[in-house]
Amino acid sequence: MIPPLVTGISPKEGPAGTKITIRGENLGLRANDLISVQICGGECSFEWQSKNKIIARTGINGVKGKGDVIVTTSSGGVGNCTVQFRTYVESIGPLKESAVWVEETPIQSLTWGQRRMVTSSYHSQEDPLSLSIEGNDKKFTEDLREIFPENSGDLSRENFSPYWFLLENHHATSFDDLKAGYSYLKRKVEGQKEGQLSFLKTHVGAVIDQLDTMMKLKDKIDNNGEVEIAERIHNLQGTISQSIDSSHALFDDVLMRREKADKSRAALSVLNRYKFLFCLPMSIQKNADNNEFDIIVNDYARVKNLYSGKVDIPLIKRVLSEIDEIILEVRKNLHNKLKEMPQAVEQQKKFVKCLINLEIQQFGTKQYERLKINDPAWDSLFCRARYIEETFKRTYEEFQEREVQAKENNSVKRDQNSLPIRVLFCEEINEIAAGQFPDLWRLGQSYFTGELRGINEPKPGNFKQIILNVIEKFCCYIRSSILPNYYQKFSSVPPWTSNSSQQALISTWLPTCLRYLRITYSSLIRLDLPNEVLDVVLKLIDELRLFCLLTILKKSIDKVKRLDEKEGWDMKVEEFPGATALPEKFEEILAESLDEGQQMCLQLEVRENPLFDGIHNLEGYHEVSKIIETALGCFSTVIEELATQRSDDEIHPLPRHNITGFPVNTSLNDSKSTAISTITITWEHRLLYCLANAAYCNKMFINNLGNLFTKYGYPIPKLALENGRSNMNMVFANLLEIYVELKNDTIVSHIEPSMFSSDNFSWNTIEKCDKLSFWANQCLDNIVGVYLEIFAVSPFLLRPILEQIIQTIAEELSRLMNSVEQFNNCGRVQAILDIKMIRDSLKLYNNERAKLSFNEAMDAIPKLSNDENRYVDELLKSIKIQRRIQLMCLNVVNPS
Amino acid sequence: MSKKPSTGPISLHKVIMVGSGGVGKSALTLQFMYDEFVEDYEPTKADSYRKKVVLDGEEVQIDILDTAGQEDYAAIRDNYFRSGEGFLCVFSITDDESFQATQEFREQILRVKNDENIPFLLVGNKCDLNDKRKVPLSECQARAQQWGGVPYVETSAKTRENVDKVFFDLMREIRSRKTEDSTKASGRAKDKSKRRKLKCTLL
């Protein structure tokens, strides 16, 4: 594994093509062990001789100047060298033999004069002192011109100044070198002189011969006299002119050779040209088959260039017209190709450019007239647009088909987690749009920037329309697939075969669809499309956002409807005792939906408008408002149903005390906490809770909901809230009625029976009256009972309920009193006492109608004397004191 | 000679082969370089060889420029000669003309180098052909003497007689010439070291 080492080369310099003997060590074990020989960086042809010797010939691709000789063998790898080869350029003259082909450009640019110029300039660069001028930058030229105004540094000028020359070219040369240079120059000059001398020396024989001949000549002339001289001179002249002629002939020979060379070159180029021409039809075909239209364009241009003038030769004419025919075919082919879809924009552009190029070149021929393509670029645009539309349509139909199939095959084992077909379609069509539309737009851009400008002017209006059409189609398909019930008015596409169950499935996936669409939108925005086009998509996005929002909100309605399951009768609301956690849960649901909606739909992405921006989308907001109203309505219903719902065991009323009419086991006096902890909550209690809830919602909760909307960035749906509140009010009224009815049953309807509980009771037969009668006591007790029941739930409900009850009591009393036929004295006093007692005890809850009824009741009783009145008042006072603890609660003005 | 082991790059001695055409310059060179005797004659233009040799225990590089003997190349010789540090002036003892030509080569070298004491060997080649000798040994030695006592060696590229000797002798001359030059350049330093040496011997 010792790398090759080159230690000797013979010769050490030469032009390209020099045969070189390379010697060294490890130059390969066998001939096939030697892999390559590189001289001056250029590969050489070589012949292996031994492991110490290679014969090589330098290639033409080596670098000029000194360079390494590198031998590479498979056994030793890349080698090294101790010697260097110098490649130089040898100028070839017409009389110089050359072993290698000298490159000459086909157009005879290397004229003789030029070559001489080149060589002379080469000579001028050589230093007369034969010293290296490296490191001697010519930097003083301007100064030198000042120092030696009369002189010059140019060796060939008459005013040449050695000082100038040395300063200019050798200011950095050492003195020793200069001395050496000087002696070299001296020698050269001497050598030149010596050259003449050595010439004489080497040709001394010939010179002596010449001298002898001249001597003989002189003798002859002397001998023959002057007569012959003229003749001889004449001969001499003849010989001279002969030699001139022969030398001319010699040179003519050179000239002739040159001429011949030129001729053969010209012939070669003509041959090439015709070969090109005659082969062109075939090569065009071949290139057309290989889609190498660039080459065809170039070739055709070359032909047009070469034979642009009037060609009279019929053969060439025929070939040219044949070529034109083929080009016509190629044009047709290209025209078809550029309309082919799908293909890359660049490819399409290339076709268009080639076609335009060919058209421009063929313009004017009769073949051109036969196929006029107005605007190939436009055609390509149009085809691309149509292709996109068709792709949309195809995808649309394909997915419809798939949905139908899926429904048929797979209706049983539908996987809930897999995306519905329509959502898949939405993804697909968005991908198509985001992927292909930019291509169309870019093609259009290049069309209008003139890159694809043909012979005709571009049509900007139409292009915009095309773009608009494509985008509108895109939007329509999406609408039709996922928003079929909405905005059908835009349907320029056949509707998606409607299927409501599928529709319901989609709703949960709407945000996904929205995301797809937004991605597409953002990619379209990056294209710098006109606003008109973007607005089309924006409109769809707005619709989708709204629809999405509505769907989210609608979902909340369902949740609200199921709220009754969540009622735990858990009183939590501090500011409104009696209200349960139900409204809070409702608020949670609403907040959740609003939050989701806000994140999905309200949050703005690039170039989107706020969904509820003033009058921008009144209709949409109306929808939202309606849904909120429905939600509130449902909530009211839930409350109402919760209140009226009675489980089976409650259908039979609890066993009541015969006379009091009150459920025996009710936890009237239980504290709040025990009321909550009891597992079975009586219906009355639930009714009360619901009443409290309704009142709470009506008074506070719904108003507070407005803040929720503001918090999530929605406008407050005032109308919906107001309607919801009035709804709630109605529920409250209904429930109140039910409860009052219930209590009336237990209180009012017991007044009469308890009044006449003893068999022979009559107002006319009362013997003494020193205390409240039984029924009045009973009535008061019952009222206090109800009071406590309500108070345990919510003091806020006391007034509305008690007022109603008391009114009924008053009315009942009025009826009873009016129906009494006769009172004895005692009876009168007793009746007044009872009524006053009841009235006074409940005076806080007497409304106008109750007061009126009480008065009516008292009017029905014959008037008492003053004594009797006084008696009644005193008795009343003592009874009130007696029962003050029981009645105390009724006198609390603001029991909360 | 106590020589410090050379730490720097190994020294390079540039040898130039001069002499008329066909006297055996290339044969000597190739024999020295590759132990190879080339029978066929092919005129040299200018060949370059370089290899490492051990000269008196010191590794040096020898660079041999084998020049053209033919008159055609006389004009470019000057350039070659200038780079040479030592010259082997070769003639063939079977060819008197080649012997006469040595005079011209000698003159040209002295002229180019401008130095009378340039390392120089007069080499009479083809001594294996003694029976065809045209130049008497005495004449050769006389000329060497006349040139200021340059060594005269007879060689045979064919038998390898004295081939190594001429190259190594010349390299020694070049080497001693180089040390001489450096001594001249730093004469004092050398003197000091000599004086110290003397003292040492005294002690």
Side-chain angles (χ1 to χ4, degrees):
Chain A
M1 274 304 287
I2 309 162
L5 179 68
V6 173
T7 56
I9 44 170
S10 166
K12 72 181 183 80
E13 55 194 7
T18 307
K19 178 186 159 199
I20 304 167
T21 308
I22 297 169
R23 289 172 210 267
E25 300 154 24
N26 309 306
L27 303 181
L29 305 169
R30 293 168 301 279
N32 58 6
D33 187 31
L34 180 57
I35 296 170
S36 91
V37 177
Q38 266 196 348
I39 297 179
C40 297
E43 286 292 336
C44 302
S45 58
F46 54 81
E47 187 189 323
W48 183 83
Q49 301 270 323
S50 72
K51 69 182 173 67
N52 298 111
K53 189 173 170 188
I54 298 168
I55 311 275
R57 198 177 279 280
T58 57
I60 49 161
N61 49 356
V63 181
K64 304 288 173 276
K66 266 197 170 180
D68 287 342
V69 180
I70 305 293
V71 172
T72 309
T73 63
S74 50
S75 62
V78 180
N80 217 330
C81 64
T82 58
V83 287
Q84 286 189 309
F85 185 79
R86 191 171 74 91
T87 313
Y88 55 80
V89 188
E90 202 175 35
S91 46
I92 307 291
L95 296 173
K96 173 102 184 174
E97 271 183 68
S98 168
V100 292
W101 178 261
V102 182
E103 279 301 319
E104 282 180 283
T105 49
I107 316 152
Q108 309 281 301
S109 68
L110 278 178
T111 58
W112 294 40
Q114 270 176 322
R115 179 168 297 155
R116 209 169 292 132
M117 211 177 72
V118 169
T119 48
S120 72
S121 73
Y122 175 70
H123 275 297
S124 72
Q125 282 169 356
E126 244 174 38
D127 190 76
L129 299 182
S130 181
L131 292 172
S132 156
I133 52 167
E134 270 170 44
N136 285 291
D137 301 329
K138 297 188 179 185
K139 45 187 174 184
F140 306 120
T141 316
E142 288 305 312
D143 299 335
L144 287 168
R145 198 156 290 149
E146 278 173 30
I147 301 168
F148 308 107
E150 307 270 286
N151 299 319
S152 141
D154 190 344
L155 278 166
S156 57
R157 298 282 284 275
E158 270 184 34
N159 57 357
F160 170 74
S161 157
Y163 304 111
W164 180 323
F165 175 80
L166 287 176
L167 285 170
E168 186 177 12
N169 294 307
H170 292 288
H171 56 83
T173 312
S174 73
F175 186 59
D176 283 343
D177 284 349
L178 279 176
K179 273 206 293 202
Y182 171 64
S183 58
Y184 168 78
L185 191 62
K186 215 160 79 180
R187 250 193 343 272
K188 209 163 101 176
V189 173
E190 275 167 10
Q192 274 169 6
K193 284 178 195 159
E194 195 189 56
Q196 292 169 3
L197 196 69
S198 62
F199 179 81
L200 282 176
K201 264 186 197 167
T202 49
H203 299 92
V204 71
V207 171
I208 287 167
D209 281 352
Q210 284 163 13
L211 282 175
D212 287 350
T213 315
M214 281 166 88
M215 284 299 284
K216 278 181 195 159
L217 207 67
K218 189 175 176 288
D219 289 348
K220 271 244 165 109
I221 290 167
D222 286 350
N223 292 344
N224 296 348
E226 293 181 357
V227 191
E228 281 185 31
I229 293 176
E231 196 187 330
R232 287 192 182 248
I233 287 175
H234 185 72
N235 280 349
L236 197 65
Q237 202 177 2
T239 319
I240 289 170
S241 60
Q242 211 180 338
S243 63
I244 288 173
D245 284 349
S246 62
S247 68
H248 271 188
L250 201 71
F251 195 66
D252 281 349
D253 195 34
V254 171
L255 283 178
M256 229 158 65
R257 283 215 308 268
R258 189 186 130 79
E259 214 165 278
K260 261 187 182 166
D262 287 355
K263 267 184 189 161
S264 45
R265 267 198 202 97
L268 265 173
S269 77
V270 166
L271 272 178
N272 267 333
R273 210 150 27 126
Y274 284 112
K275 183 182 149 207
F276 167 68
L277 178 69
F278 292 126
C279 290
L280 192 58
M282 227 163 66
S283 74
I284 289 178
Q285 293 282 5
K286 213 168 70 193
N287 285 327
D289 291 344
N290 294 339
N291 276 351
E292 304 272 15
F293 292 102
D294 285 349
I295 298 176
I296 297 180
V297 169
N298 285 336
D299 285 351
Y300 189 59
R302 215 168 125 202
V303 161
K304 281 276 163 190
N305 222 353
L306 285 173
Y307 302 97
S308 57
K310 294 282 173 219
V311 184
D312 293 329
I313 304 158
L315 179 67
I316 292 180
K317 264 183 170 171
R318 221 176 66 209
V319 173
L320 280 178
S321 100
E322 191 184 325
I323 289 171
D324 272 331
E325 288 290 335
I326 292 170
I327 292 291
L328 181 68
E329 283 306 309
V330 170
R331 275 172 59 209
K332 278 182 195 159
N333 188 1
L334 268 176
H335 194 219
N336 289 333
K337 274 211 187 269
L338 63 83
K339 287 197 272 191
E340 256 171 35
M341 291 306 276
Q343 61 179 330
V345 184
E346 289 311 313
Q347 179 79 1
Q348 210 180 8
K349 266 156 97 172
K350 211 175 101 187
F351 286 147
V352 171
K353 279 181 197 165
C354 287
L355 181 57
I356 288 171
N357 241 313
L358 289 178
E359 285 200 335
I360 291 168
Q361 284 173 29
Q362 205 171 34
F363 186 76
T365 62
K366 61 177 190 289
Q367 279 86 359
Y368 175 76
E369 300 299 323
R370 273 173 39 204
L371 176 68
K372 277 188 179 167
I373 302 163
N374 267 340
D375 198 347
W378 182 255
D379 289 345
S380 69
L381 262 183
F382 187 75
C383 285
R384 190 166 276 279
R386 210 177 52 200
Y387 170 71
I388 295 179
E389 283 184 23
E390 272 166 10
T391 314
F392 286 159
K393 190 162 171 242
R394 209 180 50 238
T395 317
Y396 183 64
E397 283 162 0
E398 188 185 307
F399 276 85
Q400 280 195 37
E401 192 87 347
R402 270 174 65 182
E403 192 184 83
V404 171
Q405 275 176 8
K407 217 181 110 194
E408 282 168 0
N409 305 338
N410 207 11
S411 53
V412 187
K413 48 168 183 173
R414 165 157 291 281
D415 186 1
Q416 287 293 326
N417 293 329
S418 70
L419 288 169
I421 303 275
R422 291 186 201 206
V423 179
L424 286 175
F425 165 73
C426 189
E427 182 181 4
E428 180 77 19
I429 199 166
N430 272 303
E431 253 167 38
I432 293 171
Q436 300 204 353
F437 188 80
D439 285 350
L440 174 65
W441 180 248
R442 272 202 291 277
L443 191 65
Q445 297 267 296
S446 6
Y447 178 69
F448 290 110
T449 50
E451 194 188 329
L452 305 174
R453 175 77 56 91
I455 298 164
N456 298 305
E457 283 296 304
K459 325 166 179 173
N462 281 346
F463 180 62
K464 204 169 183 180
Q465 196 53 48
I466 283 184
I467 294 280
L468 263 175
N469 280 346
V470 169
I471 290 293
E472 259 166 16
K473 273 270 162 59
F474 165 68
C475 294
C476 283
Y477 282 121
I478 291 186
R479 268 195 200 102
S480 172
S481 63
I482 53 176
L483 304 171
N485 301 333
Y486 272 78
Y487 310 103
Q488 255 320 329
K489 52 191 167 180
F490 293 109
S491 61
S492 64
V493 298
W496 188 287
T497 41
S498 195
N499 185 330
S500 53
S501 69
Q502 295 294 319
Q503 181 62 36
L505 263 177
I506 283 174
S507 57
T508 47
W509 294 98
L510 278 175
T512 320
C513 296
L514 181 62
R515 206 177 59 235
Y516 293 148
L517 187 60
R518 274 176 164 161
I519 291 167
T520 310
Y521 186 53
S522 67
S523 75
L524 292 182
I525 288 171
R526 278 198 296 275
L527 290 178
D528 278 339
L529 291 173
N531 282 342
E532 245 173 294
V533 179
L534 289 178
D535 286 346
V536 173
V537 185
L538 183 61
K539 191 152 174 292
L540 177 60
I541 286 182
D542 284 348
E543 281 169 27
L544 198 53
R545 279 164 69 202
L546 182 61
F547 186 62
C548 193
L549 179 65
L550 295 181
T551 314
I552 290 169
L553 292 180
K554 268 184 191 159
K555 259 194 312 195
S556 74
I557 293 182
D558 294 341
K559 282 190 196 158
V560 169
K561 277 183 184 161
R562 287 194 302 276
L563 256 183
D564 54 346
E565 298 159 10
K566 298 239 173 84
E567 176 60 290
W569 309 109
D570 187 4
M571 280 188 286
K572 265 189 172 172
V573 188
E574 279 178 16
E575 67 265 39
F576 201 98
T580 64
L582 202 62
E584 198 182 310
K585 280 175 181 154
F586 172 73
E587 191 177 338
E588 267 170 26
I589 291 171
L590 197 63
E592 203 176 283
S593 298
L594 288 179
D595 186 34
E596 194 183 341
Q598 192 237 5
Q599 277 176 15
M600 295 290 176
C601 315
L602 249 55
Q603 262 178 17
L604 296 183
E605 295 196 0
V606 190
R607 204 184 176 276
E608 282 183 11
N609 299 322
L611 199 52
F612 306 113
D613 181 17
I615 53 163
H616 171 68
N617 204 339
L618 265 182
E619 201 180 332
Y621 194 66
H622 188 62
E623 300 268 350
V624 173
S625 182
K626 252 162 57 185
I627 288 177
I628 299 292
E629 199 179 318
T630 316
L632 282 168
C634 283
F635 183 54
S636 313
T637 317
V638 164
I639 291 181
E640 193 168 3
E641 275 171 1
L642 273 173
T644 52
Q645 194 180 63
R646 303 177 66 167
S647 56
D648 287 342
D649 58 336
E650 282 174 322
I651 288 173
H652 313 288
L654 294 163
R656 292 162 191 262
H657 193 278
N658 289 351
I659 297 170
T660 56
F662 244 79
V664 176
N665 65 338
T666 46
S667 47
L668 275 184
N669 298 317
D670 281 352
S671 67
K672 279 183 194 174
S673 59
T674 50
I676 294 160
S677 60
T678 45
I679 298 161
T680 50
I681 296 166
T682 59
W683 174 51
E684 280 101 344
H685 270 93
R686 287 214 305 265
L687 199 56
L688 278 176
Y689 285 138
C690 290
L691 264 171
N693 273 341
Y696 168 58
C697 290
N698 191 16
K699 288 212 172 78
M700 302 158 80
F701 176 68
I702 291 182
N703 282 339
N704 291 344
L705 277 183
N707 300 336
L708 197 65
F709 283 91
T710 320
K711 182 180 156 197
Y712 288 107
Y714 294 78
I716 300 172
K718 283 192 182 115
L719 190 69
L721 291 182
E722 202 48 52
N723 284 339
R725 222 166 64 128
S726 74
N727 242 335
M728 200 55 88
N729 211 7
M730 263 161 63
V731 169
F732 179 74
N734 287 342
L735 293 183
L736 188 67
E737 201 177 316
I738 292 171
Y739 187 79
V740 169
E741 200 79 8
L742 187 74
K743 290 300 150 191
N744 282 348
D745 269 0
T746 55
I747 302 175
V748 181
S749 58
H750 278 75
I751 293 178
E752 197 171 358
S754 68
M755 197 181 277
F756 300 104
S757 56
S758 49
D759 293 336
N760 294 321
F761 177 80
S762 157
W763 290 102
N764 210 9
T765 57
I766 293 171
E767 285 143 16
K768 65 172 184 171
C769 86
D770 52 354
K771 58 179 171 99
L772 219 52
S773 50
F774 174 72
W775 66 268
N777 263 330
Q778 198 67 55
C779 182
L780 276 175
D781 283 348
N782 282 346
I783 287 170
V784 170
V786 171
Y787 181 95
L788 289 177
E789 190 180 61
I790 298 169
F791 187 84
V793 174
S794 173
F796 292 110
L797 295 174
L798 284 171
R799 183 163 292 278
I801 296 174
L802 286 181
E803 267 184 14
Q804 292 281 326
I805 292 175
I806 283 154
Q807 188 188 323
T808 329
I809 291 174
E811 277 164 7
E812 175 75 5
L813 285 179
S814 157
R815 185 182 67 82
L816 283 173
M817 290 306 126
N818 277 315
S819 61
V820 174
E821 286 167 4
Q822 207 177 0
F823 293 90
N824 63 2
N825 279 347
C826 247
R828 275 184 323 178
V829 171
Q830 185 68 50
I832 292 290
L833 179 72
D834 288 347
I835 292 170
K836 271 195 172 171
M837 184 63 202
I838 290 174
R839 189 192 67 185
D840 290 356
S841 304
L842 302 172
K843 65 176 180 288
L844 272 174
Y845 301 96
N846 291 351
N847 61 10
E848 286 308 312
R849 276 184 64 188
K851 279 177 186 159
L852 205 72
S853 298
F854 276 124
N855 286 341
E856 274 172 19
M858 287 203 284
D859 285 347
I861 304 162
K863 278 241 177 344
L864 296 184
S865 64
N866 285 346
D867 288 347
E868 281 168 336
N869 267 338
R870 209 174 299 122
Y871 175 70
V872 168
D873 287 346
E874 276 168 13
L875 205 54
L876 213 55
K877 213 180 271 173
S878 68
I879 293 171
K880 276 180 184 168
I881 290 163
Q882 211 176 5
R883 308 192 60 153
R884 74 175 187 283
I885 293 174
Q886 191 190 12
L887 297 178
M888 202 151 61
C889 61
L890 293 173
N891 293 324
V892 182
V893 180
N894 201 357
S896 56
Chain B
M1 284 288 266
S2 62
K3 261 209 180 271
K4 288 170 196 166
S6 55
T7 48
I10 57 174
S11 47
L12 173 68
H13 303 311
K14 291 181 176 174
V15 174
I16 295 182
M17 311 293 291
V18 297
S20 301
V23 297
K25 297 184 292 297
S26 300
L28 282 171
T29 309
L30 291 175
Q31 185 61 266
F32 174 70
M33 287 290 294
Y34 307 110
D35 305 323
E36 166 186 344
F37 180 65
V38 190
E39 301 261 9
D40 346 320
Y41 175 63
E42 199 185 326
T44 306
K45 280 181 180 170
D47 297 354
S48 175
Y49 301 93
R50 182 182 291 198
K51 77 164 178 183
K52 280 180 192 166
V53 291
V54 179
L55 173 65
D56 302 327
E58 182 196 5
E59 195 174 56
V60 297
Q61 267 198 310
I62 182 165
D63 183 291
I64 304 170
L65 179 67
D66 186 11
T67 63
Q70 278 66 32
E71 271 306 302
D72 318 20
Y73 298 95
I76 55 173
R77 269 185 215 140
D78 269 17
N79 266 329
Y80 293 150
F81 287 0
R82 202 171 304 132
S83 68
E85 292 167 340
F87 295 84
L88 288 181
C89 187
V90 188
F91 68 95
S92 166
I93 60 164
T94 65
D95 178 9
D96 185 59
E97 221 171 283
S98 71
F99 178 64
Q100 297 309 325
T102 55
Q103 186 68 42
E104 261 186 66
F105 284 110
R106 167 81 182 170
E107 280 167 19
Q108 194 175 0
I109 290 164
L110 293 188
R111 201 171 58 223
V112 170
K113 299 305 286 185
N114 204 13
D115 179 4
E116 290 285 334
N117 296 318
I118 187 82
F120 190 99
L121 254 74
L122 184 60
V123 179
N125 194 25
K126 306 192 187 177
C127 73
D128 54 304
L129 303 173
N130 208 14
D131 48 331
K132 291 179 185 167
R133 179 185 277 275
K134 293 280 165 58
V135 190
L137 181 62
S138 56
E139 207 174 315
C140 306
Q141 284 166 339
R143 177 160 287 183
Q145 206 55 48
Q146 179 201 332
W147 286 346
V150 300
Y152 172 67
V153 188
E154 295 211 334
T155 59
S156 166
K158 191 174 184 179
T159 64
R160 205 180 159 81
E161 190 182 341
N162 285 338
V163 169
D164 284 349
K165 179 183 162 59
V166 287
F167 283 100
F168 278 96
D169 282 356
L170 184 63
M171 277 193 282
R172 284 190 193 97
E173 287 221 23
I174 295 170
R175 190 182 61 196
S176 63
R177 180 63 196 270
K178 279 178 181 167
T179 43
E180 215 173 281
D181 283 353
S182 61
T183 325
K184 267 182 198 165
S186 55
R188 266 193 194 167
K190 207 78 187 180
D191 285 353
K192 270 185 187 171
S193 67
K194 269 186 184 170
R195 202 177 296 160
R196 201 177 294 156
K197 234 181 191 174
L198 271 171
K199 276 181 186 172
C200 284
T201 46
L202 274 170
L203 282 164

